[in-house]
Amino acid sequence: DVKVTQSSRYLVKRTGEKVFLECVQDMDHENMFWYRQDPGLGLRLIYFSYDVKMKEKGDIPEGYSVSREKKERFSLILESASTNQTSMYLCASSLQGNAYNEQFFGPGTRLTVL
Amino acid sequence: GENVEQHPSTLSVQEGDSAVIKCTYSDSASNYFPWYKQELGKGPQLIIDIRSNVGEKKDQRIAVTLNKTAKHFSLHITETQPEDSAVYFCAASMYNNNDMRFGAGTRLTVKP
């Protein structure tokens, strides 16, 4: 079974803090994604990566950055957390050669910024 | 870019009844339409998908239909059970395109 794990289930941070969200997948997937999930808005793509050290902006990259130094690990960084970044963050991965793009999701990190 | 709309946002049915969730998409180039189920405290999980070369696909109590002309697709769950209660997301993407667009989600509640 594909397993995608996220470093924290719940996280509380203060405005202005630098926040790191970590994601690890164990199935040697090339593609990794970070989404933000908000009620009524569904899943919105923040960034994705199709290879080590490669990244592409999604729909809402402002205020976020990412890092992919190893194939299995994809980090989301909030440079200076703000209250409007309070949300559920979901990491996902998929095979490069999977033409129909099934994505496997982690359990999510619920981030609260005070 | 692709835009996916999903209705209804909430749906409540009695156990044993059927549930239908509908989605529309805007980009006629989209050719892959997965459905994900998100249970409480978990990430979304693929439950069924359909490709643009077929109009219907069924897996036990779950079926998905696709109307390419009208650019809409639907999820049908028959004989609903309490364990079907979850949030369901539709999505659309193009072949080998990692830019998958999700609908806003439908919270399905199945009352025993």
Side-chain angles (χ1 to χ4, degrees), chain B residues 2-7 20-35 50-52 54-57 63-76 90-92:
Chain B
E2 177 65 273
N3 181 47
V4 178
E5 295 192 356
Q6 182 172 348
H7 301 279
V20 181
I21 302 170
K22 299 182 179 182
C23 290
T24 60
Y25 62 99
S26 60
D27 193 337
S28 56
S30 291
N31 59 6
Y32 175 61
F33 307 93
W35 286 88
I50 190 167
R51 304 170 189 178
S52 59
V54 297
E56 185 173 358
K57 184 177 178 181
V64 57
T65 59
L66 172 65
N67 183 326
K68 286 173 59 180
T69 304
K71 288 189 280 189
H72 65 70
F73 56 112
S74 300
L75 177 71
H76 305 253
C90 62

Side-chain angles (χ1 to χ4, degrees), chain A residues 9 37 59 100-101 103 106, chain B residues 32 36 38 41 43 97 100-101:
Chain A
R9 295 301 300 272
Q37 181 180 5
D59 293 327
Y100 293 98
N101 301 327
Q103 295 186 14
Chain B
Y32 175 61
Y36 285 81
Q38 185 178 28
N97 184 335
M100 187 175 292
R101 297 303 176 106

Side-chain angles (χ1 to χ4, degrees), chain A residues 22-89:
Chain A
E22 306 284 343
C23 175
V24 177
Q25 49 93 6
D26 66 359
M27 286 302 290
D28 204 33
H29 285 174
E30 293 85 359
N31 302 327
M32 296 189 75
F33 309 82
W34 275 106
Y35 290 93
R36 173 175 169 160
Q37 181 180 5
D38 298 289
L41 297 177
L43 279 65
R44 293 181 292 167
L45 183 65
I46 305 171
Y47 270 97
F48 75 93
S49 169
Y50 53 89
D51 201 352
V52 174
K53 297 191 185 295
M54 305 303 290
K55 61 184 179 184
E56 293 283 345
K57 291 181 179 179
D59 293 327
I60 52 167
E62 297 78 19
Y64 303 95
S65 62
V66 290
S67 172
R68 192 159 181 209
E69 297 296 320
K70 293 184 178 181
K71 190 176 185 180
E72 68 271 17
R73 188 179 297 268
F74 192 34
S75 302
L76 180 69
I77 304 155
L78 285 66
E79 297 291 342
S80 177
S82 64
T83 54
N84 62 13
Q85 292 178 308
T86 292
S87 187
M88 171 69 83
Y89 291 87

Side-chain angles (χ1 to χ4, degrees), chain B residues 6-23 35 37 47-48 57-58 60-65 73-88 106-111:
Chain B
Q6 182 172 348
H7 301 279
S9 57
T10 60
L11 180 59
S12 182
V13 300
Q14 209 65 39
E15 183 177 359
D17 288 350
S18 294
V20 181
I21 302 170
K22 299 182 179 182
C23 290
W35 286 88
K37 176 183 181 182
I47 54 171
I48 194 167
K57 184 177 178 181
K58 191 173 182 180
Q60 299 182 334
R61 296 186 298 108
I62 294 174
V64 57
T65 59
F73 56 112
S74 300
L75 177 71
H76 305 253
I77 307 174
T78 58
E79 301 171 23
T80 53
Q81 301 168 3
E83 51 265 38
D84 294 329
S85 296
V87 178
Y88 291 82
T106 297
R107 181 174 296 279
L108 173 65
T109 302
V110 180
K111 298 178 181 177

